Amino acid sequence: MKKNFCSLSYLQMSLGFTILISGMAVGQLRTITGIVTENNTPIQNVSVFEEGSTIIAVTNSSGSYQLQVSGDNPVLIFRHPEYGEKRVSIQNKAVVLVSLEPTTKGIGEIILNAGYYKVKDKERTGSIAKISAKDIENQPVTNVLSAAQGRMAGVNIIQAGGTAGGGFDVQIRGRNSLRTILNSPVNGNQPLYVVDGIPWSSNLTSSYSVGILPMSSLNPLNSISPDDIESIEVLKDADATAIYGSRGGNGVILITTKKGRTGAIRLTVDTNYGISKVANQMKLMNTEQYLKMRRDAYANYNVAVPANAYDINGVWDSDRYTDWQKILIGNNAESSSIQLSISGGSDRNQFSVSASHSNQSTVFPGDYRYKTNILNSNYSYTTENRKVSLSFSNILSSLSNNVISNDLTNKSLNLAPNAPALYDDAGNLNWQNNTFSNPLASLNGRYENKVLQINQSVKAGYEVWNGLKLTFNGGLNIQSLEEYTLAPNTMYNPAFASGASPARSSSSRGTSNLMSYILEPQINWSKDLGASKLDVLLGYTYQSNNSKSSAITASGFASNSLLYNLAAASLITPRDFTDIDYKYTAVFGRLNYRLMNRYIINLTTRRDGSSRFGPNNRFSNFGAIGAAWLFSEESFFKNSKWLSLGKLRGSYGRTGSDLIGDFQFTNSYSVAPTSYNDVPALYPSRLFNPDFTWEKTDKLEAAIELSLFRNLINLTTAYYRNRSSNQLVGIPLASTTGFSNVQANLNATVQNSGWEIEASSSPLKSMNWKWNISFNISFPMSKLLSFPGLEGSTYANTYVIGQPTSIVKVYQYEGIDPVTGQYIFKDFNQDGKISSPEDQMAIRNVGTKYFGGLQNQISYKNISLSFLLQFVKQDSWNYYRTMTTPGNMNNQPAEFANVWSSTNHDGIIMPYSPGTITATNTLTSNLKNSTAAISDGSFIRLKNVQINYKLPKISKVVGEARIYIQGQNLLTWTHYIGLDPEFTVNGYLPPLKTVSMGFQLTF
């Protein structure tokens, strides 16, 4: 018994000691509660944690929180992305009430991504434009470039049509290269896209989309959901772009995707539904006007109405009227999207995962769809001592486009208004006894593509000792495109041979695959020298690209169900198959020195090597110097009440471009279209040029930045001048050489200069009301400074020294002859006749004179309204450029009813012609290539409108709920003659007007 008693005593003692120790431990922990507010209004989703702890509390809809802390005098940290961070020493308090101030950041507090480094806006020496997630999220677009239009000075973005899945023309401070998408296989003016540190290809190579997508352009940013983007920075001047060397000559667009944030795990669901339609329709002739035009055309020349003039010879109903724009491009395109995202983490570990799906139809008849599926994820980790950091970002996207193979816009404008019905009484396509080419037959053909994009990036860092850090950036980018164009015989009238059987059907398949990886080790060293600070960056880049493409056309099938199986065709015609390796290497560096927080100098340099150039010029050096003076930090301004920030900055340096295509310097052979003895022949297609080298752009900029009255007003004015030389073009050769030209560097110089003005203000800020307004305007100017031997070259009819590179040389239209009723053009060489190119001497600039945007954001309590007005001043080609001869079997604008006659000398069109009169056709052709075809294409557009309403707390589960209505391209004010003043490519659908509605729930 004694033994047992002792055992029990030991047990009791052990239990008591355990309770005592536990009580002491619990005694060290205590619970803190409180409320976080702004002007007595609760703030939700504020992260609250103790310094050094990984335990995080998040405020609820009433701003309340509860958190356990330890220690004698713990420090609480309060964080929210829209408010300034606050640290509070709580001592022995049990209740801590905190008020936060919104981060209405002035210039000095904004952090900018400059690519290889980050810099405070206050301390930057270069030109960097930025738009954030707030500017672009929830907009009814599938490509973020559409949401960025009109928001950044110096960045002119033009959407290439209204068909989903297309591309964009992006010009950052003008076109530096003479090689454009219109005159070269490779557009030498494309910017560099960098997504989470990984360079992306500017465009995918499409072989068969030209019938539906203007310029066969597929922009790579289609593969990123706009709602996944945290910010876009655009690097413009030498100081900002020289560190990218030969790839930064046309500017750099940096895309940063959203990352995980410290705080409790949050699940967000965002979904919307929208309707799009053509924003503007041309007013065309009605049936009465059209038939009068047609009959007058034959009467004017005493020509009998022929048997094939079905519209006026009684075959077609003369009382019938169809609005073909409404039928062919006037449908509503529906769009829907949904995105689920989850994010959260501790002070050392953060993650974010989002998945989105979108589905968009077209305004064309038929069931066509553009679908996107995008998965975006990010994870970041930091050790407790903050010396080691690691982050991963991944984007996986699958896009599919199924659309009509040939755009119906032209047919909607040209079809006779009394053309027959589309379907007969039996519901079949109506060919009207073989007198009518039914436009809906095109719906039997289609263009399809599938795009797969994988982007993986990794960033690792190790702080060796205080101020010295080793980092490594690396990544992999994979792009894959597969496309089909199907042309079954059912696209054509079965009464004719082309539509008789599948033996006349054809199918084309193209593929384009790119795999690229990049490795970039770097060393960063920072040293605080008391009154000054020094930052040094050294790095190395190695990039390898492998691209493969193929294209093949097949015709003659036993059945149209076999069109995807090209091997089933009786005739197969392959095009060139390519397999190209591109290697790029570079060393780069940056030195930044800041003295007394007011004098800043920034040096960047890069030495590039590229496999795209000849062996004699494979390497080149690039660099820049930038400087800034923060004069507001001087003693005479230090205590100024009206000047918050004043800065003068400037930069000068050299960047370059290797956007020339691969192996342009080598001897090349191409496959001939014909064979010899059934053996495919080869012919020489390019001459060797070992001196083939880089295009170079020297950039100069000066700017002043002001922030006034405690950041109430922010102003920036910048002047820039870019001079691009060593233009890579085809230099003409004598025909006796067997070659038309040789790829070489021409000593031509293009200058792009201009002014950029940006202003922003917060004129109203109270407990309930907030109003932010921003404005930007750019005045670009282009000039060809030199072009040796221009007059004797094939470019003599394209460029003029001292004039912009966007000029055209056309006939000078001088009206209609009051006696003959014919168009009059100026006879420049006075030889008594109008001929080309001798009389095409009138110079017109079809470029942009200025452009910009005005943005307003207004909020009252839980309701907010924002809108963006985009404006452009320009002259551009108008409808006359693509008109047919008025009087032939094509409809015309209603304005063309004002025709010249002996009793109407104010007519704008010469007397109608049936289209068979050679002299009239020649005059019409001259009109299309004259000053009459160029007019004011300026416009002001209500680019975007958004109304948001944040619902009151609806449940304990739903932390935040918001509904919104969005509009895109809602209104356009213009005097332009045509469908759309911004987009002037003939035959394609213009950008659409969209209205959408959605909601967002956060759990």
Side-chain angles (χ1 to χ4, degrees):
M1 293 292 297
K2 185 177 181 180
K3 199 172 198 178
N4 292 337
F5 175 79
C6 290
S7 298
L8 181 60
S9 299
Y10 290 146
L11 180 61
Q12 290 173 333
M13 289 175 62
S14 299
L15 181 59
F17 183 74
T18 301
I19 293 173
L20 177 62
I21 296 298
S22 300
M24 291 174 62
V26 171
Q28 292 177 352
L29 290 175
R30 54 196 175 104
T31 301
I32 305 297
T33 60
I35 299 175
V36 183
T37 60
E38 176 205 351
N39 293 328
N40 296 321
T41 301
I43 306 176
Q44 187 178 3
N45 295 321
V46 177
S47 298
V48 186
F49 58 95
E50 181 183 359
E51 186 176 36
S53 172
T54 59
I55 300 174
I56 300 171
V58 179
T59 59
N60 58 23
S61 59
S62 61
S64 301
Y65 70 92
Q66 179 177 305
L67 179 70
Q68 282 192 326
V69 300
S70 61
D72 296 332
N73 187 20
V75 175
L76 293 189
I77 299 175
F78 298 80
R79 284 182 182 171
H80 190 284
E82 297 180 5
Y83 296 84
E85 179 180 295
K86 194 161 190 175
R87 303 165 67 89
V88 179
S89 177
I90 64 174
Q91 299 178 348
N92 295 321
K93 297 177 182 177
V95 178
V96 178
L97 305 179
V98 173
S99 178
L100 298 183
E101 294 292 329
T103 54
T104 52
K105 294 183 178 180
I107 290 177
E109 298 172 313
I110 298 174
I111 304 298
L112 298 175
N113 176 17
Y116 290 103
Y117 57 94
K118 295 184 185 298
V119 62
K120 289 183 178 180
D121 198 3
K122 175 180 179 179
E123 298 175 351
R124 67 181 169 94
T125 54
S127 181
I128 305 176
K130 178 179 180 177
I131 56 176
S132 65
K134 285 187 176 181
D135 299 314
I136 57 181
E137 63 186 1
N138 303 128
Q139 292 199 29
V141 297
T142 56
N143 190 302
V144 70
L145 292 176
S146 183
Q149 287 180 291
R151 297 182 186 271
M152 294 179 285
V155 184
N156 195 12
I157 302 173
I158 301 174
Q159 185 175 349
T163 302
F168 289 79
D169 178 25
V170 181
Q171 299 174 37
I172 300 176
R173 291 184 168 177
R175 291 190 173 100
N176 296 319
S177 177
L178 295 177
R179 292 174 297 108
T180 69
I181 197 171
L182 297 176
N183 62 21
S184 171
V186 179
N187 183 2
N189 297 285
Q190 297 179 98
L192 172 67
Y193 296 100
V194 180
V195 180
D196 289 333
I198 307 302
W200 280 23
S201 172
S202 297
N203 275 304
L204 290 170
T205 302
S206 172
S207 301
Y208 297 112
S209 62
V210 67
I212 188 64
L213 299 179
M215 311 301 178
S216 298
S217 179
L218 301 174
N219 189 272
L221 298 189
N222 289 336
S223 299
I224 305 178
S225 170
D227 289 338
D228 282 335
I229 293 176
E230 181 67 31
S231 67
I232 300 176
E233 276 97 350
V234 178
L235 313 184
K236 297 184 285 187
D237 72 329
D239 179 81
T241 61
I243 200 166
Y244 283 94
S246 64
R247 300 179 297 174
N250 299 319
V252 182
I253 298 179
L254 304 174
I255 307 290
T256 303
T257 58
K258 291 180 179 178
K259 306 297 189 291
R261 291 177 177 171
T262 301
I265 294 177
R266 301 175 63 191
L267 173 65
T268 300
V269 179
D270 194 334
T271 184
N272 65 71
Y273 172 82
I275 296 177
S276 303
K277 62 188 303 180
V278 174
N280 176 56
Q281 292 188 356
M282 290 189 65
K283 186 178 180 181
L284 303 176
M285 290 183 175
N286 57 32
T287 300
E288 181 182 356
Q289 293 170 317
Y290 172 80
L291 294 181
K292 182 180 187 303
M293 174 187 71
R294 289 282 287 150
R295 290 165 180 148
D296 288 351
Y298 287 100
N300 289 339
Y301 292 90
N302 296 318
V303 176
V305 175
N308 62 354
Y310 308 118
D311 52 346
I312 57 174
N313 65 5
V315 175
W316 293 355
D317 185 355
S318 60
D319 294 325
R320 181 179 178 80
Y321 172 75
T322 302
D323 183 351
W324 291 112
Q325 291 183 90
K326 181 179 180 180
I327 298 297
L328 299 181
I329 62 172
N331 297 289
N332 290 331
E334 297 182 346
S335 62
S336 62
S337 69
I338 184 170
Q339 181 176 54
L340 281 78
S341 61
I342 183 171
S343 65
S346 66
D347 196 35
R348 291 170 44 202
N349 298 269
Q350 299 90 38
F351 77 97
S352 174
V353 179
S354 72
S356 63
H357 169 77
S358 70
N359 189 333
Q360 184 174 341
S361 64
T362 75
V363 297
F364 303 122
D367 185 18
Y368 298 104
R369 298 283 172 174
Y370 175 65
K371 299 179 181 180
T372 69
N373 296 283
I374 301 172
L375 177 67
N376 182 49
S377 64
N378 171 268
Y379 173 74
S380 60
Y381 167 78
T382 306
T383 58
E384 187 173 359
N385 60 9
R386 306 293 176 180
K387 285 185 173 293
V388 178
S389 61
L390 184 66
S391 66
F392 300 92
S393 293
N394 302 277
I395 299 174
L396 172 62
S397 61
S398 175
L399 319 178
S400 63
N401 204 353
N402 170 26
V403 70
I404 191 170
S405 58
N406 289 287
D407 199 299
L408 295 175
T409 302
N410 263 354
K411 289 185 178 180
S412 74
L413 299 178
N414 294 334
L415 272 178
N418 68 324
L422 295 173
Y423 297 97
D424 59 23
D425 294 337
N428 301 313
L429 287 178
N430 179 26
W431 304 101
Q432 198 68 19
N433 297 320
N434 303 327
T435 65
F436 177 44
S437 180
N438 196 315
L440 290 193
S442 299
L443 303 184
N444 291 324
R446 65 180 57 196
Y447 168 78
E448 298 178 2
N449 70 40
K450 293 182 179 180
V451 178
L452 175 67
Q453 179 105 319
I454 300 174
N455 189 75
Q456 295 183 317
S457 63
V458 59
K459 183 174 183 178
Y462 174 65
E463 187 175 9
V464 181
W465 61 73
N466 189 28
L468 181 64
K469 188 173 184 180
L470 304 179
T471 60
F472 171 79
N473 294 338
L476 174 71
N477 181 239
I478 298 174
Q479 299 176 6
S480 176
L481 166 68
E482 181 183 31
E483 58 182 346
Y484 283 90
T485 294
L486 309 180
N489 65 296
T490 52
M491 292 178 62
Y492 309 102
N493 190 335
F496 302 133
S498 57
S501 72
R504 294 303 185 101
S505 298
S506 65
S507 179
S508 299
R509 178 179 183 266
T511 63
S512 177
N513 297 286
L514 170 70
M515 187 181 76
S516 171
Y517 68 86
I518 187 170
L519 308 173
E520 290 188 316
Q522 301 167 43
I523 301 175
N524 297 269
W525 179 59
S526 297
K527 182 65 175 178
D528 193 336
L529 303 174
S532 62
K533 188 174 182 180
L534 181 67
D535 290 323
V536 179
L537 166 68
L538 295 174
Y540 170 76
T541 298
Y542 177 78
Q543 183 176 349
S544 176
N545 288 10
N546 176 259
S547 58
K548 297 178 181 180
S549 65
S550 66
I552 188 169
T553 298
S555 59
F557 291 85
S559 168
N560 287 331
S561 61
L562 299 174
L563 290 180
Y564 288 99
N565 184 3
L566 274 64
S570 60
L571 177 63
I572 299 176
T573 307
R575 293 170 57 181
D576 287 342
F577 284 46
T578 64
D579 188 344
I580 298 174
D581 286 316
Y582 162 64
K583 307 293 184 183
Y584 171 85
T585 187
V587 291
F588 58 90
R590 171 183 182 252
L591 187 150
N592 182 270
Y593 181 71
R594 302 186 293 281
L595 177 63
M596 301 172 64
N597 291 324
R598 69 191 71 167
Y599 309 112
I600 305 173
I601 187 168
N602 193 61
L603 301 173
T604 54
T605 184
R606 192 176 186 104
R607 178 169 175 81
D608 282 359
S610 172
S611 62
R612 288 175 174 164
F613 297 101
N616 295 347
N617 289 293
R618 191 146 284 173
F619 294 87
S620 190
N621 299 319
F622 305 92
I625 179 172
W629 174 36
L630 277 71
F631 58 83
S632 56
E633 296 295 323
E634 299 290 352
S635 58
F636 46 84
F637 278 126
K638 190 67 176 177
N639 298 317
S640 172
K641 294 182 179 180
W642 62 273
L643 182 63
S644 305
L645 174 70
K647 181 173 71 172
L648 289 172
R649 61 174 174 84
S651 66
Y652 178 78
R654 169 170 288 185
T655 60
S657 174
D658 67 350
L659 283 176
I660 58 168
D662 295 287
F663 299 107
Q664 298 295 303
F665 66 91
T666 61
N667 281 321
S668 300
Y669 290 83
S670 298
V671 179
T674 56
S675 59
Y676 179 76
N677 286 339
D678 295 329
V679 177
L682 299 176
Y683 66 93
S685 56
R686 187 182 296 116
L687 287 173
F688 177 61
N689 180 4
D691 298 318
F692 199 52
T693 188
W694 316 76
E695 288 184 340
K696 297 179 173 66
T697 300
D698 296 327
K699 298 184 176 183
L700 170 71
E701 181 181 49
I704 182 171
E705 299 177 7
L706 299 173
S707 184
L708 309 175
F709 308 112
R710 295 186 179 181
N711 303 319
L712 177 64
I713 301 174
N714 299 307
L715 299 169
T716 300
T717 301
Y719 170 79
Y720 67 90
R721 191 203 68 194
N722 300 339
R723 287 183 175 175
S724 304
S725 56
N726 268 18
Q727 296 287 331
L728 291 167
V729 296
I731 297 180
L733 296 177
S735 58
T736 54
T737 64
F739 295 86
S740 59
N741 61 67
V742 60
Q743 295 294 313
N745 295 90
L746 183 68
N747 191 25
T749 302
V750 175
Q751 175 175 294
N752 284 287
S753 61
W755 291 88
E756 296 173 359
I757 301 173
E758 296 174 282
S760 63
S761 178
S762 301
L764 180 60
K765 180 184 174 184
S766 66
M767 181 183 300
N768 295 325
W769 285 95
K770 293 179 183 177
W771 178 23
N772 298 316
I773 183 171
S774 61
F775 172 80
N776 74 84
I777 187 170
S778 305
F779 300 89
M781 294 169 281
S782 170
K783 183 188 297 184
L784 181 64
L785 294 183
S786 65
F787 196 129
L790 174 62
E791 293 302 323
S793 74
T794 56
Y795 299 98
N797 298 321
T798 305
Y799 303 115
V800 175
I801 293 176
Q803 293 286 345
T805 55
S806 54
I807 65 161
V808 291
K809 300 174 75 173
V810 294
Y811 297 114
Q812 177 70 52
Y813 176 65
E814 297 187 335
I816 298 178
D817 191 311
V819 177
T820 64
Q822 295 185 338
Y823 301 131
I824 304 174
F825 305 94
K826 185 174 181 179
D827 185 5
F828 278 92
N829 63 356
Q830 298 183 348
D831 63 353
K833 59 182 180 180
I834 301 300
S835 58
S836 174
E838 293 80 10
D839 292 314
Q840 284 187 307
M841 300 302 292
I843 296 174
R844 293 292 184 272
N845 180 17
V846 292
T848 302
K849 297 176 182 176
Y850 61 81
F851 64 92
L854 174 65
Q855 184 176 8
N856 278 270
Q857 296 175 322
I858 305 169
S859 64
Y860 173 71
K861 292 185 177 181
N862 290 347
I863 302 175
S864 64
L865 165 69
S866 66
F867 64 89
L868 172 67
L869 289 171
Q870 177 195 11
F871 57 87
V872 176
K873 176 65 175 178
Q874 64 183 3
D875 286 338
S876 56
W877 293 109
N878 59 36
Y879 181 83
Y880 285 77
R881 175 67 171 172
T882 56
M883 63 181 285
T884 58
T885 301
N888 66 7
M889 201 171 173
N890 289 283
N891 204 359
Q892 300 290 346
E895 291 84 353
F896 285 14
N898 182 19
V899 63
W900 185 95
S901 68
S902 58
T903 59
N904 181 26
H905 284 202
D906 294 327
I908 62 174
I909 293 295
M910 65 178 288
Y912 302 131
S913 165
T916 57
I917 310 301
T918 302
T920 305
N921 291 344
T922 299
L923 288 170
T924 302
S925 177
N926 291 346
L927 184 72
K928 294 164 61 175
N929 292 280
S930 74
T931 54
I934 299 171
S935 61
D936 185 10
S938 306
F939 64 91
I940 299 175
R941 174 166 287 164
L942 184 56
K943 186 65 182 177
N944 179 260
V945 175
Q946 178 172 281
I947 301 174
N948 291 276
Y949 177 63
K950 182 179 177 181
L951 278 70
K953 182 74 173 178
I954 57 177
S955 74
K956 294 182 179 181
V957 177
V958 180
E960 183 177 314
R962 182 168 62 92
I963 60 174
Y964 56 86
I965 299 175
Q966 287 264 12
Q968 193 85 357
N969 300 330
L970 292 182
L971 295 172
T972 301
W973 296 271
T974 183
H975 295 295
Y976 176 71
I977 306 170
L979 276 176
D980 189 88
E982 174 189 3
F983 175 76
T984 56
V985 179
N986 174 52
Y988 294 97
L989 194 70
L992 305 179
K993 173 173 64 176
T994 302
V995 176
S996 69
M997 181 176 182
F999 65 86
Q1000 185 180 81
L1001 301 177
T1002 300
F1003 301 90

